[in-house]
Structure formats: structure tokens, C-alpha cells
Amino acid sequence: MNDEVTNSDTPEAGGTGGHGADFIREAVAEDLRTGRFSYVRTRLPPEPNGWMHIGHAKAFSIDYFVAKDFGGTCNLRFDDTNPAKEDMSFVEAIQRDTLWLGLDCRDRVLFASDYYELMYGHAVKLIEKGVAYVDDLSEEETREYRGTAVPDKNNITLTPPGRNSPYRDRTVAENLDLFARMRAGEFADGEKTLRAKIDMAHPNLVMRDPVMYRIKREPHYRTGDAWCIYPMYDFQEAISDAVEGVTHSLCSLEYEIHRPLYEWFIRETGVFPSRQIEFARLNISHTVLSKRWLLRLVQDGVVSGWDDPRMPTIAGLRRRGYTPEAIQDFLGRIGIAKTDSLVDIQLLEHCLREDLNRRAPRVMAVQKPLRLVIENWPEGSVDELEAVNNPEDASAGTRKVPFSGELWIERDDFAEVPPPKYFRLYPGNSVRLRYGYIVTCTGFDKDPATGEITAVRCSYDPATRGGNAPDNRKVKGTIHWVSAARALPVEIRLFDKLFAAERPMDVPAGVDWVATVNPDSREVLSGAFAEPSLATAEPGDSFQFERLGYFCCDADSRPGALVFNRSVSLRDTWAKIEKKQS
RNA sequence: UCCCCGGUUGUGUAAUGGUAGCACAGCAGACUCUGGAUCUGCCUGUGGGGGUUCAAAUCCUCCCUGGGGAACCA
């Protein structure tokens, strides 16, 4: 549709770029067509006060790929104007995470704090124009004078006009002097503010003489104690975007109501007129995307840290085994709109499965082991069987897997009394051992005290080596296994939804939402076994454990003591049948 | 009844006055040495009422309903 201006070549990184024109791209195309702008520049505007989560990934990907699609550039600018909360470690973490996601802004990393002097100059200009003034009202008084939407007796809310501050009509000279002295540190924190002189009766509360500067004696992680006054968001954003020549200042819906103020600052200072466009932020079912909530989970020790594999943070997703490709695919699929929405977490999981199915090497591991004894196996004999590394990718080749008379199989793959439609191992039934032999269950051992099955006995058919049945007999079940003699002990960590509730934020009044965390969201299996080829796995490596799911080697792994996180299970038809039966 | 923005199958998103489509989920089946993967089919939707028009998800209007706004945070 807008072929003359678009330049969509985002094959590898589909992201929020590979799909049709959303309303933002349409607006950008329109601006180019009408000549409002002759180029496109966007910016990722993180505040370095916390870890990036997938909600930020959505916002940043929109910024990045919109610019890319139109042949423009995208800055990574840290909006660091609140020294009380910000830190260099967050800057580094955000840079690492954005790069990992495929948002490469390495040669365009900028800081709002570099524009402090420039912002100060613009503020002075506004004072000289008579549209900004120094106010002596306290924080509480400011709030009170601004007025508020109040519920009346009919439970109807309305917003009465605010009142002018008694200091609103100071002379320009007086304001100039006071503002200079604010900067010089002559006043205590909170004693004075610089305010834009707009309209205390404005129906939009944001426009009722918003604060532009506050006094805050707090060392800044980049400017140290050079400043004791810091600009507020709206003023800072307008100036920073202008300095950088940002054409499209994309942000989430919560800033929609701020747009008139953003535009007011642009108009009054006469700087480059960036266009702000808002979109809906991301919500995902069964998790939370709020820095505050995530912080609480970390502080309360509910999770092991910001990179706990259950966390929706980029670091958490990475540790869980998510790939940047899967995340970008997901972000491309959810689209961009202004509708407040809740995306099903199953879509995210689907994207991971689809990506890993294509790329992850297959391997056999047993989560909950049960001993399988092949009674007619030649004593001491070991067979080396050939296994396919990835049926989706012939170039991945094959590997040898040791087989012998004692194996570990999955406890769930044996049933003393098979439920309906069960076609794995039970007395008298045959199954194929993946890439191995067809075996027939001849019996089992049971601990008379506990009733626990301690071993399953079977016989094998030597003619079925490799899993083929020369007599063409149908064997319905194929199960995975690990040679007991060569088994690699590993720890497996199973993860599930962080919250059982679809919308954890909608917690009933009086209930502490932290208590609603899914107690089964993490399960550690310390007695698992894997085939020997896994010995060389390194943290970050992903595998498909056949029939179980995709697993990622965790950073907690030590040589000889590997740990694997379940990234996502395989689709499990049997689980559905089982569920229906119960 | 203060200001702003929204409402399209269960979920997310297209259709920009002209056949309501796609994906995920769900259901059914085919195939299979992963109950994986793959393939096929099915299911359900324009919040409501008026109006404009040959024709409305789309434009107008009223209503209903959801979200945001009352930080010296961003």
C-alpha cells in the first residue's frame, strides 16, 4: 500500500516488523507522504531503574522495527531523570537484553542526562516568555490546589477547577533569579518547584500547571552532584526527543493524556516537533508485567531472582530457554493496537515450540526413572545404536547411544493395570524402545511394604534392532530410555505458570496477591538421568528431551552435575485423554 | 454523569463504504519408530438501538460497557 516509502526487509527478525501495516506504520507512512517528516527516527526510552520484561520488549521492538521498516534509525536513550531510582547496572542489563533481542542500537546509545544543561536553557527561555514560574507551594499544597476528580454523594465524579498558586504571578525577573538559585542549591529539597504556567482550570489534570523541575539532592549515577534540580518526565521527553530529531515518539497508552503537554512544551520552546503516538501495552495471562509486582516477587523470595526462569523478564525468559527468535515471532503475532488486551500465554509457548522444534537437537532423558530389566539380554553385552539428532533437520546427523540389559525408563511409561487407550508398557504388552528393540513386558517387581513398582521385567526380540519390526507387526507405543550403566545423573527443573489465575492483578480485596503464586510453578527432579552425549552440554544449550519437552542447560550446572530447565513441554495428547477420562 | 482512549468468535489481530479473514486455543480425523512433528476438517464474532447509503465492523447519533487520568515517578 505504501510501497513507495516502506522498506520492509525484516526476514530474519520478523518481530513487530514482518507483518502488515498497523495503525502506527500507517501514520508514519502518511507523515512521509504529506511531508510532515522527510525521514524516520524513533527511540527506545527505558528508565534504567529495573530489569527489562517482555512488555518492554514489545514496546522497544515496535520502536526499532518501525524505524527499520522505513529505512530510518532508532536510538537507545535512557530517560534517566530520577536519580533516586537509577543505576548503571540497569543501563548495562538493558543494553545486554536489547541486543540479545536483536535490537542493535550499539552505535546510538544516548542519555537524557546529557541534555540537562540544554533543558535548563529551555526552561529559562520559558520563564522569560512568561509561561513558567517558580512556585513555593509544598507538595501537598500543590496537589490540593490542582484539584482532583472527586466522588460526590451520587457517586458521580467530577473535576472542579483548580486554584492558582499565590506565587503564579511573580515577575519574570524574580522567577529567573529564583530558578538560578534553585540550581545553585540555595533551597532545600521540595522547597520550590518550577512550573509551567498553563491553566489551573484545564479539564485535563496534567495541564494544570505541571511541575517541570523539582529540587532533589540525590547523586546521579552519571552526573554525580552536578545538579540538585532535575526535570520532570514531560518536559524532559519533549526536549530529548527534539534534540535527537526523533520524528515519532512511540509510547504506551498511559501517556496519551500527556500528549497535549508534550505538544505544549514543543510549541512553547519551539523545538523540533516530534509526533507522539500511543499503543496498548502488553498483558499476558497467568503472569504479571509490572516492575513493582516483579520487584515484590524478588524481594519476598517467591522467585530466586530477576532471572528466575518463571519470570517474564528477558533474563528470566533467556534462562528458561526462550530464544530471541521465538520472542520476536510472538511479538509479531500479537500485533499492535490501542485495545486493552490479554494475550494467552499459550501463544508464547507455541512460538517457542515452533522455533525449537526446528532447531533443538533430540536427546533421551528420563525424568522419573524406573528400572527396566531385559531378561534375555546377553550378560555384559553393550550395543551402540544409531539415533537421529533432529528429524526436522537432516544436516544435524546422527549419534550413537549405548544400549544394554538394564535401562531406565519413565515411571509413567509402565502401568500395572493399564487405563483405557494406554499403549505403553504393561504386563503382556510390547513397546518399542526408541531406536532400540521391541520388548514385551513379562512381569514386574513390587515392594510389598509400599506397593511401589521397583522394576519392570521384559524380553527383547533381537530381530528388531534399530526399532524395526521385520514381521511388520504393529507396535503402538514407542518409549524413551537411558542405559543404566552409562546414565548421566542430572537435575531437571520443571516450571509451570507463575500464577494459576489468568489475571493475577485482579486479586479479590483483602487477599495478598503474593499468596496466589502457583505453588506448583517449580518442581525439582534430582534423580533424573540423561544419555551420555549430554555430558558436554553447556549453560544456554537447548535440547528436546524426546517425548518430554524442550530443556535448556541452566547456569547452575557444574561438570558432572548438570541442571536442565524445562522451557516448555511438548504437546501432550495423552495428558488430554487422561484428563477427559477423569 | 470531569477529561482522554477503546469495544470484531474463547484469546489476539485483519478487513479503512463492497464476500467478516488469519493465528493461538478447542473439537474431530489422517499419518507416524517422539501419544512429538506434519496434514485435513469443524466450531464460534462486528456490545445495543436508531440514522445516512444501492451497500455499514467501517460514517452520524444515543445508550451500554472496559481502560486510563487526580506522583515534586517514568
Side-chain angles (χ1 to χ4, degrees):
Chain A
M1 51 198 70
N2 301 309
D3 297 327
E4 69 278 13
V5 289
T6 55
N7 174 27
S8 356
D9 60 337
T10 54
E12 76 293 329
T16 29
H19 300 258
D22 50 81
F23 77 96
I24 291 178
R25 269 170 253 255
E26 280 175 6
V28 172
E30 171 79 6
D31 288 343
L32 253 15
R33 193 165 46 237
T34 60
R36 177 169 177 172
F37 299 112
S38 58
Y39 67 94
V40 173
R41 175 130 66 235
T42 59
R43 101 267 96 116
L44 328 182
E47 183 189 12
N49 69 344
W51 293 58
M52 241 183 106
H53 58 62
I54 192 167
H56 300 113
K58 172 190 176 181
F60 293 177
S61 294
I62 290 171
D63 284 313
Y64 188 85
F65 289 113
V66 163
K68 190 174 179 190
D69 284 358
F70 288 92
T73 48
C74 178
N75 296 343
L76 171 53
R77 184 187 68 238
F78 290 94
D79 282 349
D80 51 359
T81 51
N82 185 7
K85 296 181 175 176
E86 297 153 6
D87 196 291
M88 198 63 200
S89 69
F90 293 127
V91 170
E92 286 158 5
I94 291 166
Q95 284 188 262
R96 180 197 63 210
D97 289 348
T98 51
L99 187 60
W100 182 77
L101 282 165
L103 315 178
D104 187 355
C105 300
R106 278 175 295 183
D107 52 352
R108 307 189 69 89
V109 178
L110 302 161
F111 296 85
S113 50
D114 285 343
Y115 313 141
Y116 281 170
E117 191 62 52
L118 193 95
M119 290 174 196
Y120 182 84
H122 280 292
V124 168
K125 230 165 71 183
L126 293 185
I127 294 172
E128 286 167 345
K129 273 185 79 175
V131 294
Y133 63 97
V134 172
D135 196 2
D136 293 8
L137 252 30
S138 72
E139 198 171 339
E140 299 72 40
E141 288 168 330
T142 303
R143 225 192 316 273
E144 191 190 318
Y145 274 67
R146 178 171 43 231
T148 178
V150 292
D152 74 0
K153 51 200 172 297
N154 297 321
N155 211 17
I156 291 161
T157 58
L158 63 156
T159 308
R163 283 177 291 143
N164 285 170
S165 162
Y167 308 97
R168 199 174 196 258
D169 295 316
R170 292 214 248 234
T171 64
V172 167
E174 193 180 358
N175 281 321
L176 248 17
D177 172 60
L178 255 17
F179 188 47
R181 288 164 62 194
M182 276 170 66
R183 175 181 184 172
E186 289 189 26
F187 307 111
D189 287 12
E191 195 179 329
K192 292 188 186 335
T193 58
L194 182 71
R195 292 234 255 165
K197 190 190 282 189
I198 304 180
D199 178 5
M200 289 307 288
H202 199 108
N204 179 352
L205 275 349
V206 170
M207 297 296 274
R208 317 250 264 222
D209 288 13
V211 172
M212 290 173 59
Y213 272 90
R214 75 281 209 189
I215 302 171
K216 200 169 200 149
R217 280 182 182 71
E218 184 89 42
H220 186 279
Y221 76 102
R222 292 187 80 244
T223 60
D225 52 9
W227 294 85
C228 63
I229 56 171
Y230 292 94
M232 298 288 290
Y233 169 80
D234 298 284
F235 180 63
Q236 172 274 125
E237 196 72 359
I239 303 300
S240 296
D241 283 344
V243 176
E244 299 179 8
V246 167
T247 56
H248 298 273
S249 185
L250 311 177
C251 59
S252 53
L253 248 28
E254 54 197 302
Y255 294 103
E256 202 162 27
I257 201 156
H258 290 248
R259 194 188 332 132
L261 179 55
Y262 180 81
E263 290 170 348
W264 187 90
F265 281 126
I266 288 172
R267 206 163 48 242
E268 296 298 331
T269 55
V271 295
F272 180 83
S274 311
R275 176 177 178 186
Q276 175 177 313
I277 303 176
E278 312 84 11
F279 54 87
R281 54 188 302 165
L282 173 64
N283 296 297
I284 299 180
S285 68
H286 305 286
T287 190
V288 291
L289 296 178
S290 139
K291 273 183 194 170
R292 212 184 91 244
W293 281 48
L294 295 175
L295 176 65
R296 172 96 191 274
L297 291 174
V298 173
Q299 286 177 338
D300 285 20
V302 174
V303 296
S304 64
W306 285 97
D307 66 343
D308 185 290
R310 290 167 291 177
M311 293 282 271
T313 50
I314 300 307
L317 291 167
R318 181 168 48 227
R319 188 165 179 186
R320 175 77 168 259
Y322 271 83
T323 61
E325 289 82 0
I327 293 171
Q328 287 300 343
D329 181 33
F330 170 75
L331 296 176
R333 291 182 194 228
I334 59 173
I336 308 170
K338 296 186 73 166
T339 319
D340 202 37
S341 62
L342 181 71
V343 178
D344 192 337
I345 196 167
Q346 288 184 98
L347 180 60
L348 216 208
E349 296 177 341
H350 167 82
C351 292
L352 213 218
R353 283 194 192 99
E354 196 166 87
D355 185 35
L356 258 19
N357 176 48
R358 218 164 15 94
R359 324 190 321 186
R362 271 60 169 176
V363 99
M364 289 193 284
V366 175
Q367 290 183 157
K368 299 177 181 173
L370 174 61
R371 188 175 296 270
L372 179 73
V373 180
I374 305 173
E375 296 184 301
N376 59 338
W377 185 258
E379 183 77 31
S381 161
V382 172
D383 199 353
E384 293 281 332
L385 298 164
E386 188 168 56
V388 173
N389 287 330
N390 186 347
E392 306 290 322
D393 176 13
S395 72
T398 61
R399 69 186 184 288
K400 295 287 190 193
V401 188
F403 185 97
S404 56
E406 268 199 32
L407 309 174
W408 293 114
I409 62 169
E410 209 66 62
R411 200 158 268 279
D412 287 348
D413 286 339
F414 172 79
E416 183 179 353
V417 182
K421 292 186 184 164
Y422 185 87
F423 47 82
R424 281 115 88 173
L425 223 40
Y426 52 88
N429 193 42
S430 300
V431 297
R432 177 171 20 242
L433 295 170
R434 178 77 156 153
Y435 299 121
Y437 297 84
I438 293 175
V439 297
T440 304
C441 180
T442 54
F444 56 92
D445 300 344
K446 194 176 191 173
D447 183 327
T450 64
E452 190 194 8
I453 308 292
T454 52
V456 175
R457 307 194 165 272
C458 67
S459 63
Y460 86 109
D461 179 351
T464 57
R465 183 173 191 274
N468 304 305
D471 53 355
N472 262 335
R473 93 185 104 132
K474 284 287 173 209
V475 178
K476 200 113 197 287
T478 298
I479 66 174
H480 60 278
W481 51 272
V482 170
S483 160
R486 301 281 306 279
L488 192 68
V490 296
E491 178 178 313
I492 288 179
R493 297 177 183 168
L494 266 21
F495 300 104
D496 201 350
K497 299 176 175 69
L498 225 202
F499 292 87
E502 204 170 54
R503 299 170 184 270
M505 308 285 274
D506 293 352
V507 60
V511 174
D512 181 8
W513 62 269
V514 170
T516 69
V517 167
N518 177 11
D520 302 322
S521 58
R522 180 176 190 268
E523 184 185 355
V524 176
L525 306 174
S526 49
F529 292 111
E531 64 171 66
S533 75
L534 229 46
T536 54
E538 292 187 9
D541 290 350
S542 280
F543 303 89
Q544 185 197 97
F545 290 180
E546 294 216 29
R547 301 210 302 137
L548 297 177
Y550 295 97
F551 292 77
C552 183
C553 187
D554 189 81
D556 285 347
S557 295
R558 296 289 169 268
L562 298 179
V563 177
F564 291 91
N565 297 322
R566 185 174 68 191
S567 312
V568 66
S569 66
L570 249 23
R571 283 184 58 207
D572 189 347
T573 311
W574 172 246
K576 277 183 189 168
I577 296 171
E578 235 182 350
K579 205 173 162 189
K580 254 191 291 185
Q581 286 175 354
S582 64

